[in-house]
Amino acid sequence: MTPCLDTAPAADKRYGLIDVTLRDAHQCLWSTRMTTAMMTPMLSTIDRVGYEYINILGGAVFDVQVRYLQENPWDRVGLLCERLRTPCDGLTRGQSLYTFELFADDLVELNSKILARRGLKVLTVYDALNDMRNIESSVRSAHECGMKVNAMMVYTLSPVHTDAYYVERARELVALQSDFISIKDPTGLLTPERALTLFPAVVAAVGNIPLQLHTHCQSALAPLVHEVAMQHGFRYGHTAAEPLANGASLPAAEDIDDRARALGLATGIDRKALADVSGYFACLAEREGKPRGQVASFDPALYEHQVPGGMISNLRSQLAAMGMQARMPEILEEAARVSKDLGYPILVSPFAQYIVTQSVLNVVQGERYKTIPDEVRKYAMGFYGRLASAPSP
């Protein structure tokens, strides 16, 4: 156990926090149902917390704002960027932008121009296959518009996603001249043991480019993984205010701040302002009847099916509506088999949805692959990009 240091940390020993409360946290716990009006009362207080960046945009935000909240996503981006002094960050799915389709380069470039015009300072971008050709136009256009780029490589656990695989992906992101490089762990599969080999290898591969860690709490190991990141030179960690942290969400800012300070790292976090922010979202959750994040218990089955927590909760509610909730364990077991059949796609949007859909069809119809959705066929044919491993013959 590392003792807490009484002396102030050196200025160059820093672990900056990136806030995801206004985006990924409520996407995981509240199905992205936080409205802009729920956010605005706390913006000045969030500014005082001392975050390095604030993530305000992601793929599901556009869909939910238009389909369910009847809001204009572009207006939210502009309002938050205008009112927040802390630089704002927005995430896209590379060539797919906010959807599951692939778009032409000129539309990707137009998206970057509009985001920059609305005030976004950092464009975070990933490709679900880790085919970095699919983020080239996003990186290039974001730089042309004056934004910094946080390029992500998505983590999963499989025989082909080795440390050497991720070192090669990291080198590709260095070649793209990314301003930041992130390891994105959407299901919370990272363990401290794996981090002890993976993180030093990636740090060596990226040189002076700052590394960020984005890992969810579904296995309850994320805070420990952050400690390994801190000890091996990562510069930033993604966190959420406590009421919207843990479970399927990301670690609590309070927890990660405590761990960083115990390791002698400065975070710049104002705990009084953070307490005010967490207090507000606790009251908001109670008022709106929304769940607060709970620390997850370790579940070995997670490392088999690898389905993100947000998808599990959605699937559970859909099965309950059809009176089929008892078949949930079968479907999750089938998801592990389908993933292997298809060459271990990473269970992040959009492929998480494709794997779960195919698994439901296999279980409900009683015959595996009796029905194959077009999206699964296109994936197997390489339509979306280079596969990490060939599907089963």
Side-chain angles (χ1 to χ4, degrees), residues 122-170:
V122 178
L123 182 72
T124 291
V125 59
Y126 77 89
D127 176 68
L129 287 173
N130 284 329
D131 185 343
M132 301 314 175
R133 298 175 300 175
N134 287 336
I135 70 168
E136 287 179 2
S137 58
S138 297
V139 175
R140 181 178 63 251
S141 59
H143 280 153
E144 289 172 352
C145 295
M147 292 187 286
K148 292 183 177 180
V149 173
N150 172 32
M152 290 180 148
M153 48 187 177
V154 189
Y155 177 81
T156 193
L157 188 63
S158 85
V160 296
H161 291 89
T162 62
D163 288 1
Y165 167 91
Y166 284 107
V167 165
E168 186 60 31
R169 303 291 80 75

Side-chain angles (χ1 to χ4, degrees), residues 15 185 188-195 199 213 215-216 219-232 234 256 259 303:
Y15 194 68
D185 178 18
L189 298 173
L190 271 167
T191 65
E193 293 76 16
R194 177 68 188 276
F199 289 178
L213 176 61
T215 181
H216 289 245
S219 69
L221 297 177
L224 296 173
V225 174
H226 272 273
E227 287 192 12
V228 180
M230 295 173 196
Q231 292 165 331
H232 287 88
F234 277 59
I256 301 305
R259 293 171 188 267
Y303 290 86

Side-chain angles (χ1 to χ4, degrees), residues 1-2 4 11 18 25 56 68 74 83 114 167 175-176 195 209 228-229 231 233 273 302 335 343 359 366 377:
M1 181 175 178
T2 305
C4 184
I18 295 170
I56 62 171
Y68 300 108
W74 301 109
R83 295 196 185 182
I114 295 174
V167 165
L176 289 176
I209 298 177
V228 180
Q231 292 165 331
L302 175 68
S359 302
R377 295 177 187 272

Side-chain angles (χ1 to χ4, degrees), residues 70-145:
Q70 286 76 55
E71 293 186 355
N72 184 327
W74 301 109
D75 287 347
R76 176 185 289 184
V77 172
L79 183 148
L80 296 181
C81 288
E82 178 183 353
R83 295 196 185 182
L84 288 164
R85 297 189 308 274
T86 308
C88 290
D89 162 278
L91 177 145
T92 76
R93 298 169 183 156
Q95 212 71 29
S96 299
L97 295 179
Y98 312 103
T99 74
F100 296 169
E101 299 299 323
L102 297 173
F103 291 95
D105 286 347
D106 57 349
L107 282 175
V108 174
E109 292 164 4
L110 179 60
N111 179 72
S112 294
K113 289 178 181 177
I114 295 174
L115 290 176
R117 194 181 306 154
R118 292 279 173 169
L120 202 73
K121 299 302 181 187
V122 178
L123 182 72
T124 291
V125 59
Y126 77 89
D127 176 68
L129 287 173
N130 284 329
D131 185 343
M132 301 314 175
R133 298 175 300 175
N134 287 336
I135 70 168
E136 287 179 2
S137 58
S138 297
V139 175
R140 181 178 63 251
S141 59
H143 280 153
E144 289 172 352
C145 295

Side-chain angles (χ1 to χ4, degrees), residues 303-317:
Y303 290 86
E304 296 296 326
H305 63 70
Q306 302 187 13
V307 179
M311 282 210 65
I312 288 178
S313 60
N314 288 338
L315 177 61
R316 185 177 288 113
S317 63

Side-chain angles (χ1 to χ4, degrees), residues 181-216:
I181 292 175
S182 292
I183 293 180
K184 174 182 175 68
D185 178 18
T187 309
L189 298 173
L190 271 167
T191 65
E193 293 76 16
R194 177 68 188 276
L196 283 171
T197 64
L198 175 63
F199 289 178
V202 171
V203 168
V206 304
N208 293 325
I209 298 177
L211 278 164
Q212 301 183 12
L213 176 61
H214 178 107
T215 181
H216 289 245

